[in-house]
Amino acid sequence: MNAMLDRDFGTPPSTSETRVSVEIDGMRIEVPAGTSVMRAAAEAGVSIPKLCATDTLDAFGSCRLCLVEIDGRAGTPASCTTPVAEGMRIHTQTNKLKSLRRGVMELYISDHPLDCLTCSANGDCELQDMAGAVGLREVRYGFDGANHLSAPKDESNPYFTFDASKCIVCSRCVRACDEVQGTLALTVSGRGFESKIAASADQSFLDSECVSCGACVKACPTATLTEKTVIEIGQPERSVLTTCAYCGVGCSFKAQVRGNEVVRMVPHDDGKANRGHSCVKGRFAWGYATHPDRVLTPLVRDRIDQPWREASWEEAVGRIASEFRRIQSKYGKDSVGAVTSSRCTNEETFLVQKMVRAVFGNNNVDTCARVCHSPTGYGLKQTFGTSAGTQDFDSVMQADVMVVIGANPTDGHPVFASRMKRRLRQGAKLIVIDPRRIDLVRTPHIEASHHLQLRPGTNVAIINALAHVIVTEGLVNEAFVRERCDLPEFSTWAQFVAEARNSPEATESITGVPAATVRAAARLYATGGNGAIYYGLGVTEHSQGTTMVMGIANLAMATGNIGRPGVGVNPLRGQNNVQGSCDMGSFPHEFAGYRHVSDEATRELFEDIWGVPLASEPGLRIPNMFDAALEGSFKGMFIQGEDFAQSDPDTQHVVAGLSAMECVVVHDLFLNETAKYAHVFLPGASFLEKDGTFTNAERRISRVRKVMPPRAGLADWQAVMAVCQALGYPMQYEHPSQIMDEIARTTPSFTGVSYAKLDELGSIQWPCNDKAPTGTPVMHSAGFVRGKGRFIVTEYVPTEERSTARFPLLLTTGRILSQYNVGTQTRRTANSQWHEQDLLEIHPHDAEQRGIRDGDRVRVASRTGATELRAEITDRVAPGVVYTTFHHPDTHINVVTTDFSDWATNCPEYKVTAVQVLPSNGTAAARS
Ligand code: SF4
Ligand code: SF4
Ligand code: SF4
Ligand code: FES
């Protein structure tokens, strides 16, 4: 067994609370009822040979290697499929068993290429291990009979190979694809000697439905399915436990390394966010870290029309310090600010906001969460008292009804989507509220009970209509509301939603969703058992984003779906550390832990520790920084890991704002679009090159551990320290653990967090303090953090962005599995094979009206701007709606989006833009 892999107990654990006592090879052991004999033996330290069993999959019992003898039972049952029974006496090592196992292995080996010494899996092959374990020394049948040794290799997938000649048809891959990933892309085709593994309709892996999650590769006990990097680089020598840096699921991985080179990323079975699973990005798309485009030396220039010049860290940092001081003395203390990154660690984010507050002396700090989940923070704080989701991911396994609103988990949060699908296959019900028919609506063995295909921009009308049904049909959980919520506010809200204008019938013409569907969905959510709401940017990125978050919270409270496993309100956070960057005080009005800057006690606490007076007025938000730049009062900006020129709404405004500044600093891995407007570029460190923590969508704090030294010399936290030092504010941290200690000292929800505890527990969900020393998986269980749950009236106010005769279609945007955000990382990996360009999805009816054929280049124009891309004709979108992803810079979709934003948080209204789409004449410029 490879020491770098997680220990394999052969079959999944039993959750039974009844204990059963058995004797294995003379040893007595107690295990939960339902445990397999194989697992009980493993827990007693006895390894039973096995090939088709692994503890991440249900037992299958096909290889016949794990035979045992049981007193009083005839024959030699398979230990993986035999559950323990009280008083059982089991023998695992009799002569009879040894001989039977050797016979089974002989059959396998006689049809297997004997190239162990040159095989890429040498040392990491269960077949090889088992041949040794059963003491096989010779193969009596010879190797001349019919065999599969010349079976073809499928090398179509960019990340792994399928070498059929090595396949023992144990079906672990098939079961991994079914049970763990839920894609059902693989089958065993044929029978007996002819049986083989087939992808989809016996296609190549690349052409099949396979989504390259790697679950089958991990499950394969032989070299049949192998990572290409293992073949190229060789078996890894060491392993470092770390956390994926892509999305808010926060999967835990073992980075397996040879020298300083990552050989593969293996999802960690004990990772509480992913439970041993991964998606194509975290599993395979880490090659960007060593891509030749990485900038590894600081760059400086006096003006943005000049070429970059390489500089030492000392010169670059000195330049930032002298420029920021010059700007502040000329334009005032408030003329500079910074933006933290949701890609960076908690510790790095904390340091950047500390630099702004303690060193710049203002509160001009903001984060990219502004453009995604700021309405979640504000909305949930107002209603529940905490700016975060309420559950852990495990909770979904106890949900009876899932409501997915404005999120596309199979593409945006794939590993969590696999958990959802597993629960849905077990019989949980699904309601999807989305303008587009996302994959979850209908996927193998899953069909949503209701798809509320609403018009973009009408979320609040739908949530009010759902609430109307719940209130007027007597479906409110009155006991919960009476005990847990503020009653006068509930009454006001109930009266409001009960008004006829909020009924499904009255709102049907607004939302486009048939009233009967809304009524049925509301009844299902309110009465179907545990109801859990999951939502994404399709909720927040609207002019009423915050209102919708409040509406969701109202619905959960009214039905009592809050405060226990299986229920809750769960934002699916986009970036790996967007929760953390918000927690760490990245907003201009809040210190770490969401405490207002005007709060004197909090200010004093930080003033004491930081040794400087702190400003009590909130600083500028990102859009206001650009406004102020254009007005001439904001001149210096430190931007860590963020590409505004690419990812913010209304690109022209951003570019004009950046161009008006005198010192723009970009701290990143690559020279991104924003760097075109920068004066100093600091090379960033990838997640493989630093220590720290990320906090995922379930408030789970997980360690990021250094796998290799920072390629540019300094980790991001060290670079920020150097800037502070140059500005005359020395910092003394020797390791990010000391920054976490300061966070714990100053932030009530983090008081119990330390690197030592993270090492001990693996990960911790905040709040973690005296009351909850090991963290809090489910929030608001005994009462809401704010005391009584607060119902807030959510009046539907249509966005000012309307379709008109000139711009008759509504454009909305989303993600695709293989790419990530603006593609800075994923486009620098083989993931580009799956999504070479962004496409505009348009309904056949709208396409026909405009003479657009599938694949045609089209021009998408709004009142803000225009861009071009290729059309994909599909009925995934309703008539009147068009949809695109935003992963490619040349798409420039943000040229088209407007500057409307959420009333409470300024989160841009990315999800609704009135556009016209026409065939391109082929000569138009990409932008107007
Ligand atoms: S590919 Fe691997 S996991 Fe799948 S059947 Fe063959 S040996 Fe088993
Ligand atoms: S990589 Fe994932 S999706 Fe593809 S076949 Fe394997 S398990 Fe299925
Ligand atoms: S689901 Fe998210 S965190 Fe997990 S591997 Fe994929 S990108 Fe990484
Ligand atoms: S491991 Fe039990 S039958 Fe294969």
Side-chain angles (χ1 to χ4, degrees):
M1 160 97 195
N2 188 318
M4 271 178 290
L5 300 178
D6 294 313
R7 188 167 167 214
D8 189 345
F9 290 85
T11 63
S14 160
T15 49
S16 170
E17 283 173 9
T18 315
R19 308 287 290 178
V20 170
S21 173
V22 294
E23 190 188 293
I24 300 174
D25 295 342
M27 270 177 294
R28 194 142 277 292
I29 181 167
E30 255 198 22
V31 289
T35 302
S36 70
V37 167
M38 175 178 278
R39 189 174 179 109
E43 287 184 10
V46 175
S47 294
I48 298 176
K50 63 181 178 57
L51 277 172
C52 68
T54 183
D55 61 8
T56 51
L57 303 172
D58 293 341
F60 191 58
S62 70
C63 77
R64 308 299 298 163
L65 198 63
C66 66
L67 311 177
V68 290
E69 290 186 87
I70 301 172
D71 286 358
R73 285 210 192 175
T76 51
S79 62
C80 61
T81 48
T82 307
V84 290
E86 182 60 39
M88 231 181 207
R89 292 183 66 210
I90 301 149
H91 308 279
T92 75
Q93 306 294 342
T94 64
N95 287 337
K96 180 179 174 189
L97 292 172
K98 283 179 189 165
S99 154
L100 283 171
R101 285 179 194 147
R102 266 202 295 272
V104 171
M105 275 310 291
E106 253 184 293
L107 285 172
Y108 280 119
I109 297 296
S110 66
D111 187 9
H112 198 82
L114 290 184
D115 59 354
C116 291
L117 288 182
T118 51
C119 176
S120 58
N122 189 16
D124 180 26
C125 171
E126 291 181 41
L127 189 69
Q128 191 182 38
D129 292 348
M130 289 309 125
V134 303
L136 186 69
R137 297 280 173 264
E138 56 169 340
V139 173
R140 288 167 296 169
Y141 317 121
F143 300 91
D144 303 330
N147 60 47
H148 299 85
L149 301 182
S150 55
K153 258 190 196 176
D154 175 354
E155 305 205 78
S156 61
N157 187 289
Y159 295 119
F160 59 83
T161 60
F162 175 77
D163 181 352
S165 71
K166 294 185 171 167
C167 180
I168 57 170
V169 201
C170 65
S171 90
R172 271 162 68 162
C173 54
V174 178
R175 288 177 284 140
C177 195
D178 293 359
E179 294 172 28
V180 179
Q181 165 57 24
T183 294
L184 286 72
L186 301 178
T187 46
V188 180
S189 75
R191 312 194 70 162
F193 181 78
E194 300 300 324
S195 59
K196 62 165 195 165
I197 299 303
S200 295
D202 213 356
Q203 292 160 288
S204 72
F205 270 78
L206 192 65
D207 294 333
S208 73
E209 288 139 296
C210 166
V211 292
S212 289
C213 71
C216 55
V217 182
K218 182 172 173 232
C220 181
T222 66
T224 313
L225 283 159
T226 307
E227 296 91 346
K228 286 185 174 172
T229 43
V230 172
I231 297 170
E232 281 155 21
I233 306 170
Q235 284 291 322
E237 299 160 338
R238 65 189 171 93
S239 168
V240 181
L241 195 56
T242 191
T243 304
C244 178
Y246 275 115
C247 88
V249 178
C251 295
S252 175
F253 279 91
K254 284 185 166 177
Q256 298 192 345
V257 184
R258 192 176 176 97
N260 271 335
E261 201 172 4
V262 175
V263 176
R264 64 179 168 193
M265 300 287 284
V266 181
H268 182 37
D269 286 345
D270 289 339
K272 296 193 181 84
N274 56 322
R275 304 282 178 199
H277 192 33
S278 60
C279 84
V280 60
K281 294 188 287 286
R283 178 78 153 100
F284 296 118
W286 34 267
Y288 68 86
T290 48
H291 193 279
D293 286 355
R294 275 281 298 272
V295 180
L296 301 174
T297 321
L299 303 171
V300 295
R301 60 185 172 188
D302 294 330
R303 294 195 320 269
I304 60 171
D305 57 359
Q306 291 177 337
W308 286 109
R309 176 172 66 73
E310 289 193 354
S312 63
W313 274 102
E314 205 178 13
E315 181 188 353
V317 161
R319 170 77 71 96
I320 298 167
S322 62
E323 277 298 280
F324 273 47
R325 284 299 181 225
R326 178 187 67 75
I327 289 169
Q328 284 191 303
S329 60
K330 185 166 172 195
Y331 300 101
K333 198 165 65 175
D334 296 337
S335 57
V336 297
V339 174
T340 68
S341 172
S342 295
R343 317 303 320 269
C344 286
T345 63
N346 284 317
E347 294 74 5
E348 287 162 348
T349 304
F350 186 82
L351 273 204
V352 172
Q353 62 92 36
K354 177 172 176 178
M355 172 173 77
V356 171
R357 302 189 204 279
V359 187
F360 296 175
N362 61 46
N363 286 315
N364 292 335
V365 62
D366 206 357
T367 174
C368 51
R370 169 75 52 219
V371 300
C372 63
H373 267 290
S374 46
T376 289
Y378 188 80
L380 296 186
K381 177 110 192 223
Q382 295 297 309
T383 47
F384 299 159
T386 316
S387 301
T390 61
Q391 310 297 118
D392 58 357
F393 288 149
D394 284 349
S395 164
V396 77
M397 296 313 288
Q398 295 180 56
D400 300 307
V401 180
M402 290 176 218
V403 187
V404 176
I405 314 177
N408 184 5
T410 51
D411 283 75
H413 301 83
V415 166
F416 181 61
S418 292
R419 300 285 292 283
M420 293 174 120
K421 287 198 278 185
R422 184 185 277 216
R423 181 64 187 153
L424 290 166
R425 288 196 308 272
Q426 289 174 355
K429 299 276 186 284
L430 173 67
I431 299 165
V432 172
I433 305 179
D434 202 289
R436 187 167 166 267
R437 195 179 67 237
I438 59 169
D439 280 347
L440 270 185
V441 172
R442 187 172 300 135
T443 196
H445 300 302
I446 291 169
E447 176 141 21
S449 301
H450 307 287
H451 177 201
L452 280 52
Q453 194 165 18
L454 76 179
R455 278 196 195 104
T458 62
N459 283 339
V460 174
I462 275 281
I463 207 83
N464 288 345
L466 290 165
H468 176 93
V469 178
I470 286 165
V471 168
T472 57
E473 294 192 7
L475 305 177
V476 169
N477 183 333
E478 286 183 7
F480 181 91
V481 171
R482 219 174 17 252
E483 194 187 321
R484 301 283 304 271
C485 304
D486 186 303
L487 284 180
E489 281 171 325
F490 167 74
S491 302
T492 311
W493 171 81
Q495 274 169 24
F496 160 73
V497 292
E499 288 174 29
R501 67 195 171 100
N502 288 319
S503 70
E505 291 70 22
T507 48
E508 184 172 321
S509 61
I510 300 168
T511 63
V513 183
T517 309
V518 177
R519 286 196 178 270
R523 289 170 195 147
L524 176 59
Y525 173 66
T527 64
N530 284 341
I533 300 178
Y534 296 92
Y535 71 88
L537 302 183
V539 160
T540 53
E541 288 179 347
H542 286 277
S543 59
Q544 281 202 292
T546 295
T547 318
M548 181 61 179
V549 172
M550 293 168 170
I552 289 172
N554 291 337
L555 212 63
M557 288 188 290
T559 52
N561 276 314
I562 203 92
R564 64 181 188 279
V567 299
V569 173
N570 306 282
L572 294 175
R573 298 284 190 151
Q575 309 224 49
N576 56 323
N577 200 36
V578 67
Q579 178 69 54
S581 75
C582 298
D583 301 341
M584 290 298 103
S586 289
F587 289 124
H589 62 291
E590 282 170 342
F591 288 112
Y594 305 97
R595 289 160 298 163
H596 205 273
V597 291
S598 62
D599 180 64
E600 238 168 78
T602 308
R603 241 184 15 260
E604 274 171 21
L605 173 77
F606 282 105
E607 284 173 344
D608 258 9
I609 292 175
W610 294 350
V612 285
L614 298 173
S616 58
E617 291 293 312
L620 297 173
R621 297 171 172 186
I622 293 168
N624 306 124
M625 291 185 198
F626 294 125
D627 293 344
L630 290 169
E631 283 157 17
S633 59
F634 188 83
K635 293 287 185 181
M637 194 169 188
F638 184 98
I639 304 164
Q640 188 168 69
E642 179 62 22
D643 193 3
F644 296 117
Q646 172 81 4
S647 64
D648 260 45
D650 200 0
T651 314
Q652 293 95 326
H653 183 65
V654 171
V655 164
L658 286 168
S659 308
M661 293 182 206
E662 293 180 8
C663 184
V664 174
V665 181
V666 168
H667 189 186
D668 217 314
L669 300 179
F670 301 101
L671 276 172
N672 55 22
E673 286 286 300
T674 307
K676 289 184 181 155
Y677 308 93
H679 304 83
V680 180
F681 182 89
L682 298 181
S686 77
F687 77 112
L688 296 169
E689 298 156 42
K690 57 196 181 187
D691 280 296
T693 55
F694 292 150
T695 306
N696 76 352
E698 27 155 34
R699 297 169 278 104
R700 184 181 301 285
I701 308 158
S702 300
R703 272 299 310 275
V704 176
R705 292 186 179 85
K706 188 158 77 176
V707 173
M708 59 179 78
R711 296 187 64 215
L714 294 185
D716 303 346
W717 61 276
Q718 292 169 310
V720 174
M721 266 176 60
V723 173
C724 293
Q725 170 95 25
L727 281 160
Y729 186 90
M731 291 179 176
Q732 316 297 348
Y733 312 106
E734 285 167 9
H735 190 267
S737 63
Q738 296 166 341
I739 307 175
M740 179 53 82
D741 292 343
E742 184 170 316
I743 296 165
R745 209 156 73 233
T746 52
T747 311
S749 46
F750 276 67
T751 349
V753 181
S754 68
Y755 277 29
K757 195 182 275 184
L758 284 165
D759 288 346
E760 183 195 327
L761 299 177
S763 59
I764 300 170
Q765 284 177 272
W766 66 256
C768 173
N769 46 33
D770 287 346
K771 278 197 223 148
T774 54
T776 312
V778 174
M779 296 200 75
H780 317 296
S781 48
F784 286 101
V785 169
R786 72 179 299 281
K788 293 281 184 190
R790 181 173 171 212
F791 282 85
I792 297 174
V793 169
T794 54
E795 189 76 58
Y796 168 63
V797 181
T799 169
E800 287 175 46
E801 183 68 6
R802 314 252 167 93
S803 47
T804 59
R806 203 167 146 226
F807 301 113
L809 302 171
L810 289 177
L811 168 73
T812 187
T813 57
R815 290 186 178 154
I816 198 155
L817 169 69
S818 56
Q819 295 295 322
Y820 193 74
N821 279 7
V822 291
T824 313
Q825 281 111 323
T826 43
R827 278 184 297 101
R828 291 185 169 96
T829 69
N831 277 28
S832 298
Q833 292 200 13
W834 287 284
H835 188 69
E836 286 167 350
Q837 55 183 320
D838 294 316
L839 296 170
L840 186 84
E841 290 185 4
I842 183 166
H843 189 273
H845 173 75
D846 293 323
E848 194 187 343
Q849 270 189 341
R850 291 164 174 77
I852 294 169
R853 288 159 310 175
D854 200 49
D856 276 358
R857 216 165 159 72
V858 291
R859 181 182 157 87
V860 184
S862 72
R863 58 189 172 74
T864 323
T867 187
E868 284 192 6
L869 60 174
R870 289 201 188 280
E872 181 185 352
I873 299 177
T874 171
D875 64 0
R876 269 176 175 273
V877 288
V881 176
V882 288
Y883 165 91
T884 186
T885 47
F886 47 78
H887 300 306
H888 287 266
D890 48 1
T891 307
H892 281 295
I893 207 65
N894 288 344
V895 169
V896 177
T897 50
T898 67
D899 55 2
F900 290 128
S901 63
D902 176 47
W903 60 270
T905 63
N906 273 156
C907 181
E909 188 165 51
Y910 282 139
K911 299 297 178 192
V912 197
T913 310
V915 294
Q916 178 57 291
V917 177
L918 292 171
S920 157
N921 60 15
T923 55
R927 288 191 248 177
S928 68

